[in-house]
Amino acid sequence: MAPTLRDENCQDELFLLDLYATSRAQEMAAVPWSSEQKEAFLKMQFQAQHDYYKEKYSSASFQIVVEEGVAIGRLYVLREPEVIRILDITIIEAKRGKGVGTQLLQRVLDEATQSQRPVEIYVETVNPSLRLFERLGFSQRAEEGFNFLLEWRPAGSPGQPPREN
């Protein structure tokens, strides 16, 4: 069954916090803090990120990824006149590598093709999802600290050679 999207609401806060925490689990395993310290740190970081997104990108779509009635991820997208920016895409660990991310990204790429806009996303240099983005045709446009700025352009758009089928 294909995942669906619904707008995020205040009842999603605990799910989003847990999703954020699992996305940083490997990093947290490496620090010598107590579980209480890790939990406090993750709550603080989640809230800072969440507030930043809502303030800086207030016109973005903040959506929950749902499969069979259960929240399994988040997709935040800012649609600007000249570019579509994926602010965040995170899927729960149990659903990673099962095609959910590919399906969601393909929807964004289809929208970009229809509107002839490029798609951009920042991805950490050590993020395993880099392979997914490369497989979908994203290319590295810049490196900023620990992040790559990746870009995808529709076939036939300026700066993009025609794609082979």
Side-chain angles (χ1 to χ4, degrees):
M1 182 173 185
T4 59
L5 297 170
R6 67 164 171 79
D7 290 339
E8 182 182 294
N9 63 57
C10 61
Q11 296 168 344
D12 294 313
E13 189 171 333
L14 288 177
F15 167 74
L16 291 168
L17 173 59
D18 186 54
L19 182 65
Y20 178 81
T22 61
S23 75
R24 302 213 36 202
Q26 184 177 1
E27 178 185 355
M28 289 292 99
V31 296
W33 299 342
S34 70
S35 57
E36 292 81 16
Q37 289 171 315
K38 290 177 183 180
E39 184 179 327
F41 174 79
L42 289 168
K43 280 183 180 178
M44 178 187 67
Q45 291 292 298
F46 165 74
Q47 197 61 57
Q49 181 194 63
H50 191 74
D51 293 348
Y52 174 80
Y53 281 153
K54 294 289 184 160
E55 182 180 321
K56 180 158 175 114
Y57 305 111
S58 61
S59 63
S61 65
F62 297 92
Q63 296 185 298
I64 299 296
V65 182
V66 179
E67 189 176 72
E68 298 180 8
V70 177
I72 63 165
R74 70 180 187 180
L75 177 63
Y76 296 170
V77 179
L78 178 65
R79 292 163 176 88
E80 297 180 308
E82 300 299 317
V83 65
I84 297 173
R85 297 182 197 283
I86 301 171
L87 304 175
D88 188 90
I89 179 171
T90 306
I91 306 300
I92 62 171
E93 192 170 358
K95 294 291 183 175
R96 292 180 193 154
K98 298 184 183 339
V100 174
T102 300
Q103 290 178 56
L104 294 169
L105 290 169
Q106 192 59 58
R107 290 180 200 172
V108 174
L109 300 182
D110 290 347
E111 177 185 344
T113 298
Q114 290 295 318
S115 63
Q116 284 295 293
R117 288 181 285 178
V119 177
E120 294 181 345
I121 185 171
Y122 281 95
V123 178
E124 290 180 326
T125 58
V126 296
N127 190 323
S129 69
L130 278 170
R131 290 186 301 276
L132 168 61
F133 289 104
E134 290 168 355
R135 192 173 72 241
L136 291 174
F138 282 79
S139 58
Q140 182 181 332
R141 206 175 93 201
E143 185 171 350
E144 298 178 14
F146 295 105
N147 294 297
F148 291 133
L149 173 59
L150 303 180
E151 181 182 65
W152 180 92
R153 290 188 169 272
S157 67
Q160 176 66 36
R163 293 181 193 264
E164 294 182 21
N165 292 337

